[in-house]
Amino acid sequence: MKDSQNDSVLEVINVSDPDNPTMVSALSMTYSPYRMWVADSIVYLATRNGGMRVIDYHDPSSPNELSSVLTDVRGIAVVDTLAFMDGDNADLYVFSMSNLSSPFVISSLDMPFGWTAVSDVLIPENGLLYWASDNTRGIINISDPVNPEILVIEDGGATDVALYGNNLVYTLGDEGTLIVQNNSILHYQ
């Protein structure tokens, strides 16, 4: 949302009464939010010109920005104390979030085709990171976050990625849906 100064605003809205939602707080920002990940009242906000912002919402009426890293982040996923994100050079960065006020890089991975404009990142509990971006989609082994390894990378963008049972499902925008199981295409529509 934009305020009167054309800055972005991150709002907390109480929806406990769906017929009467009420705004609890609003945090003005001078950067453009792109994606967010929420875990344990912490918002990890990926922004186009402000990097990854870490915002504490333990008191929803008074959000507190704790830190920021990088300058351009489009996709983000957080598991335990690790944040996985695309960074300034379209590479994968792994940050330690053990101290939310002072995150630090523990590894990075050069993406051969880049992964510009990451549209979705999914990390189930199997040690794999699945991603969809404007120009590629694929799978990275993150079971050892210090040494992430590309397992599959495919040309062709996707807007979303999801797991449905044993199937990996990509939505391909106007092109339809791609369903993959055991690295074999089951359905393309």
Side-chain angles (χ1 to χ4, degrees):
M1 178 176 187
K2 299 283 187 177
D3 68 12
S4 61
Q5 304 298 316
N6 290 323
D7 287 339
S8 298
V9 177
L10 183 62
E11 296 178 333
V12 175
I13 300 173
N14 182 338
V15 293
S16 58
D17 178 0
D19 295 328
N20 188 26
T22 56
M23 186 166 58
V24 176
S25 65
L27 180 64
S28 290
M29 301 172 280
T30 58
Y31 35 85
S32 303
Y34 193 74
R35 295 236 173 265
M36 76 173 146
W37 190 279
V38 180
D40 300 324
S41 298
I42 302 294
V43 173
Y44 301 87
L45 187 66
T47 71
R48 290 186 180 178
N49 55 354
M52 180 197 63
R53 316 303 280 206
V54 180
I55 304 166
D56 183 347
Y57 272 95
H58 281 93
D59 177 359
S61 66
S62 181
N64 179 30
E65 188 166 330
L66 301 174
S67 61
S68 65
V69 295
L70 302 175
T71 56
D72 187 25
V73 175
R74 304 287 176 96
I76 187 166
V78 178
V79 176
D80 298 324
T81 61
L82 298 174
F84 300 85
M85 66 195 83
D86 67 321
D88 300 335
N89 300 314
D91 293 334
L92 170 71
Y93 287 87
V94 182
F95 275 82
S96 170
M97 303 306 295
S98 56
N99 179 348
L100 295 173
S101 297
S102 186
F104 60 92
V105 175
I106 62 169
S107 66
S108 64
L109 179 63
D110 179 38
M111 299 299 285
F113 304 113
W115 59 334
T116 57
V118 171
S119 53
D120 200 11
V121 177
L122 172 67
I123 302 179
E125 294 182 13
N126 63 1
L128 300 175
L129 179 149
Y130 304 92
W131 86 87
S133 75
D134 281 357
N135 60 341
T136 60
R137 57 187 178 264
I139 305 169
I140 299 172
N141 181 342
I142 57 168
S143 58
D144 177 4
V146 173
N147 297 299
E149 174 188 12
I150 297 171
L151 299 179
V152 176
I153 188 167
E154 299 175 329
D155 273 334
T159 55
D160 296 290
V161 59
L163 280 177
Y164 182 73
N166 292 326
N167 299 321
L168 183 60
V169 181
Y170 287 102
T171 54
L172 307 176
D174 294 339
E175 297 177 39
T177 304
L178 175 68
I179 301 175
V180 179
Q181 184 179 59
N182 299 327
N183 293 328
S184 297
I185 295 175
L186 294 180
H187 178 76
Y188 178 73
Q189 175 181 331

